[in-house]
Amino acid sequence: MADAHGARLRSTADRRVPPPASGPASGPADAGLQAHRGMTLLATISLFIGTRAAWTDAIRTKPAVAAVISLGYASILACGVLALLVRRQRSLIRVDAAVLITAITLVTCGYLLDHAGTDEGVLTAQAANEILHGHVVYGRAWPWLFGTHSVGITKTMSGGADYTYAYPPLTALIAAPVHAVVHSTAAATLVTTGALLASTVLLWVLLPPLWRSAATAVCLGFGFLPHYAYDGYPAITALALLIPVVVRWPQTGADGRLGTPGVLRAVCLGAACAAQQLAWFLTPFLLIGLYAVRRGELGHRRALAVVLRYAGTAVLTWSAINAYFAAQDFSAWLTGTLLPLSQKAILHGQGAMGISYYMTSGSSRLDFYSYASVLLLLGLLVATWLFPRRLGPAVTVLPWTAFYLATRSQDGYFLMMTPLWLAAAATAPGAAFARAWQPRLPRAATGRRAKVALTTALLAPALVCVVVAAASPPPLHMSLTARFATHRAHLGITALHVRARNTTGRRLTPHFASRTGQGASNWWTIAAGPAALAPHSSAEYVVTPPGGFRRVKPRTYLIAVTGTPMTITTVRVPSTAASAAR
């Protein structure tokens, strides 16, 4: 009897107390909701980035904007609570929308605080002004735009600087009517900031619900893209146009017909190429990937016809946007749009070129970094052609890796297109390339090891060029003697006596500048010394800093660069303490 009574009690307790859950989600649907919840929460947290700095700036200059930012904090906290409490996906999507609206509000506040722009914005606004007045845009130098310290300038290895508009015309065209009302650089920065906000909303709408908050975080929450928009970068306009191109791009031309979606994608691709040169590098990867996917479905002839119609529509769009400027002055237009590829700008960035710029005394073969960049790009294109099933999902990332080896390898070339990475991850997964066509390789080359060897062979030439550039010694052997003086209670350099010996077999024309970190100063003046050094000859130079006086900071270097061939020599400037000791 006692045993029966105990069994009934245990049975009642079992019915009242649910069994312990094995994890945070009890099924696939709950697991998906929890993943969505986590994405929403991460996007919400990302809105804190840079918000305090904006509020601190606003409370001093624009209290009304500071009040809106304070409300933004309240919205962030509310979204964080709701992201953890709502129980249905529909409600979580509403929270995602609230996070997006909060991000747009905060970015708009940031624009009101900072919209003066940098050199890209200033040049674009000036180009817009020239368009309004019917003047030629390309091939004209506007040096007066760079008279303030807030506006940077692109120096060239030949000792000059670039004062011209060197971007395709679309952003300036869009900014022209805005400039008719807003007579300042804000005309350009308003266009790029508006393009970023519009592209974020578009990406948010086009992505599956789980990924939408990730779009908010990548485009607006992390903070780096809004600052490029505030600066007036035309690349932001190109990004906005590339988003509809990349979302579900493997579906373009399905069943052998472009249809309205395919035509719109092609138009956006052509317009993006007419907005900024970065779109040029993505285009061949997209075309190769699209051909492979369509050929696996339709065969060679129909796939080629689809790709040609797609590319032709993009080219027509690009041509229509550029036609007016090409007709004004074809040579100047062509030179201007190709200038970033040919200008031989001074070293800058975080890539491989840093070996020769920051870590060694220089290199006599900097051109090999450029060769490496081109060879890597070509190698990746061939690899994409050979292995589209494997590399197809990474088509939106592969083009930017080539910039890591270039002499201009600043991180903006990588991160400004990161929303495209997200778009591809969400809408162009590996399954979309499962039936893509791949060229038939010889039987000996179909094994895993053979494929690795083939890929290595495609990429090895780029690596060899990097090694050549990094291992090459500096072309000049330089020794320095500093002339010091006191100016406004500060001790600094008024001139450097430089003894230089050309160790190469080529005639070199050196240009001098100083650096203390990642950037170089304006060019120093050669007060005495020859313009060029003959092979294996020596000469003495007297070079003076811009303004006639330069305070010496710890780890100050003098650099000597040449444009043809591209070379750099770096030597440390003696400190005041060391000079006094001598």
Side-chain angles (χ1 to χ4, degrees):
M1 292 290 293
D3 291 342
H5 181 66
R8 285 195 297 273
L9 289 176
R10 288 192 297 273
S11 177
T12 302
D14 290 343
R15 287 196 299 271
R16 291 177 180 176
V17 180
S22 59
S26 57
D30 291 335
L33 183 63
Q34 198 69 5
H36 189 167
R37 195 187 308 278
M39 195 75 78
T40 303
L41 194 61
L42 288 174
T44 304
I45 294 170
S46 75
L47 301 188
F48 284 119
I49 299 174
T51 304
R52 181 180 178 184
W55 180 89
T56 302
D57 188 16
I59 204 68
R60 292 184 293 104
T61 59
K62 292 184 168 80
V65 175
V68 175
I69 296 175
S70 294
L71 292 176
Y73 273 112
S75 180
I76 293 172
L77 295 172
C79 289
V81 171
L82 292 173
L84 295 173
L85 293 184
V86 298
R87 297 182 177 182
R88 295 183 302 172
Q89 187 178 46
R90 182 176 297 178
S91 300
L92 200 52
I93 291 174
R94 293 193 183 102
V95 178
D96 290 335
V99 175
L100 175 64
I101 293 170
T102 304
I104 291 173
T105 302
L106 292 174
V107 169
T108 303
C109 290
Y111 174 79
L112 295 175
L113 296 170
D114 177 18
H115 55 262
T118 57
D119 51 337
E120 286 82 1
V122 169
L123 284 167
T124 301
Q126 181 64 30
N129 183 57
E130 300 296 331
I131 292 171
L132 282 176
H133 292 86
H135 297 161
V136 174
V137 171
Y138 293 98
R140 298 187 63 188
W142 303 315
W144 64 86
L145 298 176
F146 303 90
T148 65
H149 294 291
S150 60
V151 179
I153 188 170
T154 300
K155 293 179 283 293
T156 61
M157 298 287 282
S158 59
D162 183 14
Y163 301 106
T164 63
Y165 189 67
Y167 303 102
L170 182 60
T171 305
L173 272 173
I174 299 172
V178 181
H179 199 280
V181 180
V182 182
H183 307 292
S184 69
T185 306
T189 58
L190 181 60
V191 168
T192 52
T193 303
L196 177 62
L197 295 177
S199 64
T200 304
V201 173
L202 178 62
L203 183 59
W204 193 94
V205 171
L206 294 177
L207 291 184
L210 174 61
W211 295 84
R212 288 175 174 172
S213 278
T216 302
V218 171
C219 293
L220 305 179
F222 293 155
F224 44 78
L225 287 182
H227 284 287
Y228 281 105
Y230 302 157
D231 289 341
Y233 274 67
I236 298 297
T237 307
L239 167 66
L241 291 162
L242 287 173
I243 282 175
V245 175
V246 168
V247 172
R248 299 180 181 85
W249 70 267
Q251 298 178 12
T252 304
D255 301 324
R257 295 174 295 179
L258 280 182
T260 301
V263 171
L264 290 176
R265 286 191 179 109
V267 168
C268 287
L269 179 60
C273 291
Q276 214 268 352
Q277 291 91 341
L278 284 178
W280 301 357
F281 295 87
L282 177 63
T283 299
F285 287 90
L286 283 175
L287 295 179
I288 288 173
L290 185 59
Y291 173 78
V293 172
R294 292 286 75 84
R295 181 168 176 176
E297 171 193 346
L298 306 170
H300 165 66
R301 182 170 297 180
R302 293 182 66 192
L304 184 61
V306 168
V307 173
L308 288 177
R309 289 198 298 272
Y310 181 78
T313 304
V315 169
L316 285 175
T317 303
W318 177 85
S319 300
I321 295 171
N322 283 276
Y324 170 75
F325 303 93
Q328 278 186 316
D329 188 333
F330 181 83
S331 178
W333 163 78
L334 184 63
T335 302
T337 53
L338 295 177
L339 189 60
L341 306 179
S342 61
Q343 68 186 165
K344 294 188 176 182
I346 197 168
L347 303 179
H348 180 65
Q350 294 76 38
M353 43 67 57
I355 300 172
S356 300
Y357 196 24
Y358 306 119
M359 301 178 186
T360 68
S361 298
S363 172
S364 58
R365 293 183 174 89
L366 292 179
D367 289 301
F368 277 79
Y369 286 119
S370 299
Y371 304 154
S373 180
V374 173
L375 288 171
L376 178 59
L377 185 68
L378 294 176
L380 291 173
L381 281 170
V382 174
T384 303
W385 172 265
L386 293 175
F387 309 114
R389 296 175 188 173
R390 182 65 174 168
L391 298 180
V395 153
T396 57
V397 184
L398 290 174
W400 324 122
T401 59
F403 287 101
Y404 188 80
L405 305 185
T407 53
R408 298 282 287 185
S409 59
Q410 57 197 33
D411 60 358
Y413 296 139
F414 318 136
L415 60 86
M416 275 195 285
M417 295 297 159
T418 48
L420 304 182
W421 307 8
L422 176 68
T427 65
F433 303 90
R435 299 179 58 187
W437 170 84
Q438 290 190 163
R440 291 184 179 180
L441 299 175
R443 183 171 299 180
T446 56
R448 183 175 181 179
R449 291 183 179 178
K451 290 180 179 179
V452 171
L454 179 59
T455 303
T456 302
L458 290 172
L459 304 182
L463 178 61
V464 170
C465 287
V466 170
V467 171
V468 170
S472 296
L476 302 178
H477 178 75
M478 298 197 306
S479 58
L480 307 181
T481 303
R483 184 190 301 165
F484 293 99
T486 301
H487 179 66
R488 294 182 181 177
H490 294 296
L491 189 65
I493 288 177
T494 58
L496 284 174
H497 294 261
V498 182
R499 181 171 180 80
R501 180 168 59 87
N502 182 357
T503 63
T504 73
R506 301 187 63 174
R507 185 179 180 86
L508 299 178
T509 304
H511 307 279
F512 299 91
S514 62
R515 72 167 182 86
T516 55
Q518 59 88 25
S521 71
N522 291 332
W523 298 115
W524 288 42
T525 301
I526 299 178
L533 271 174
H536 305 293
S537 66
S538 298
E540 293 189 2
Y541 292 88
V542 177
V543 295
T544 58
F549 182 85
R550 174 57 56 94
R551 293 181 63 187
V552 180
K553 300 178 181 179
R555 302 182 69 84
T556 298
Y557 297 90
L558 182 75
I559 61 172
V561 302
T562 63
T564 305
M566 285 182 65
T567 72
I568 186 170
T569 304
T570 303
V571 61
R572 191 164 182 173
V573 176
S575 67
T576 55
S579 298
R582 288 196 296 269

